[in-house]
Amino acid sequence: MIYCVEDDDDIRGLVTYAISSSGYEVQGFSRAGSFMEAMKIRTPDLVLLDIMLPDRDGIAILKDLRDNIYWKNTPVIMLTAKCSEMDKVKGFDMGADDYVTKPFSVLELISRIKAVLKRTSSNIEKAFEYNGIRLDMDSRAVAVDSEEITLTFKEFELLSMLMENHGKAVSRETLLNKIWGYHFEGESRTLDVHIGSLRHKLGEKGKLIETIRNVGYRLK
């Protein structure tokens, strides 16, 4: 997912269309407020960030991203009409990964996006974040609204599968086979018990785990 934060409707439309046509999932924002709300729900693979926004300066937004433990490694390309050397230096000093000035070539922008994603992909932690729930595969840490919770091994595996496939129903057979093993001979009720425990530990977010009758479960 790529987020494009640009207040000019024409530029934002052109950029999002070009990114989508290049095979990337993209979402556009005209204001900083709506962008920051989206960040709390899903962390993108890259952010295109304009400096001159109507409700907040892009440099200040960049600082917030770099100061946040969850977003500090998210690649950011500054997209702006400012083109002085000092503007670029300030952006890079604040942690920008690249800087593209307007007017720009769409093909060049796509090339820059690919280059930044390739350069930063090895540094991004493997983690899932959805609707206030964050799961880090490397540290096996889970947080709900920034509060860390403790899960058992099986609960962690369940949550990771549901988050990786959020919005899609995951069958009971798939969950049992992937988490308990292809030769699991226990009762399928084991899965229901673990789902119940996981919902309880997630608190209010536990309601996001939806039972799909005769199929399995889905993180809605």
Side-chain angles (χ1 to χ4, degrees):
M1 168 65 81
I2 295 175
Y3 285 168
C4 175
V5 192
E6 167 62 62
D7 64 320
D8 187 298
D9 294 341
D10 292 334
I11 295 177
R12 188 176 65 256
L14 176 64
V15 169
T16 54
Y17 176 78
I19 293 173
S20 178
S21 298
S22 298
Y24 298 101
E25 187 179 359
V26 61
Q27 186 172 351
F29 304 90
S30 61
R31 302 179 71 85
S34 56
F35 161 68
M36 294 304 292
E37 287 301 313
M39 288 292 293
K40 296 176 183 177
I41 297 174
R42 180 178 182 183
T43 302
D45 300 303
L46 181 142
V47 175
L48 294 176
L49 181 60
D50 187 20
I51 285 184
M52 303 298 289
L53 294 169
D55 55 340
R56 197 157 184 231
D57 180 76
I59 293 295
I61 297 173
L62 177 61
K63 183 178 185 304
D64 285 348
L65 296 180
R66 293 298 176 248
D67 288 343
N68 187 290
I69 189 172
Y70 294 149
W71 307 328
K72 64 180 181 180
N73 293 321
T74 303
V76 176
I77 296 178
M78 304 305 291
L79 189 64
T80 178
K82 289 190 173 183
C83 57
S84 74
E85 184 177 358
M86 284 307 299
D87 288 328
K88 291 184 178 182
V89 169
K90 188 174 182 180
F92 283 128
D93 284 348
M94 292 301 297
D97 294 274
D98 204 348
Y99 204 110
V100 178
T101 56
K102 306 171 188 174
F104 54 83
S105 160
V106 172
L107 291 178
E108 178 189 358
L109 178 61
I110 297 300
S111 179
R112 295 281 191 97
I113 289 173
K114 290 179 178 178
V116 170
L117 286 174
K118 183 178 181 179
R119 185 172 70 244
T120 59
S121 60
S122 60
N123 298 323
I124 298 175
E125 299 174 349
K126 186 174 182 181
F128 300 107
E129 187 169 355
Y130 184 72
N131 217 339
I133 305 172
R134 181 177 174 82
L135 180 148
D136 190 298
M137 297 297 291
D138 291 332
S139 65
R140 296 188 70 84
V142 177
V144 178
D145 292 334
S146 300
E147 293 291 330
E148 190 166 352
I149 64 173
T150 302
L151 300 182
T152 66
F153 181 84
K154 298 296 188 186
E155 290 166 353
F156 182 92
E157 294 298 310
L158 273 174
L159 182 59
S160 67
M161 284 197 67
L162 293 174
M163 291 188 71
E164 187 174 2
N165 296 279
H166 71 83
K168 303 176 183 178
V170 184
S171 71
R172 298 176 63 85
E173 291 76 11
T174 297
L175 292 170
L176 286 168
N177 288 338
K178 292 287 187 180
I179 298 172
W180 277 270
Y182 288 99
H183 302 293
F184 177 69
E185 297 178 354
E187 297 181 3
S188 63
R189 176 66 180 164
T190 298
L191 173 59
D192 302 323
V193 171
H194 279 78
I195 287 289
S197 176
L198 178 58
R199 282 172 170 155
H200 176 72
K201 291 183 178 180
L202 291 175
E204 284 297 312
K205 301 295 184 181
K207 297 177 181 178
L208 294 172
I209 301 178
E210 184 179 20
T211 300
I212 307 300
R213 187 176 178 84
N214 298 323
V215 179
Y217 296 95
R218 174 178 65 196
L219 194 64
K220 63 180 180 180

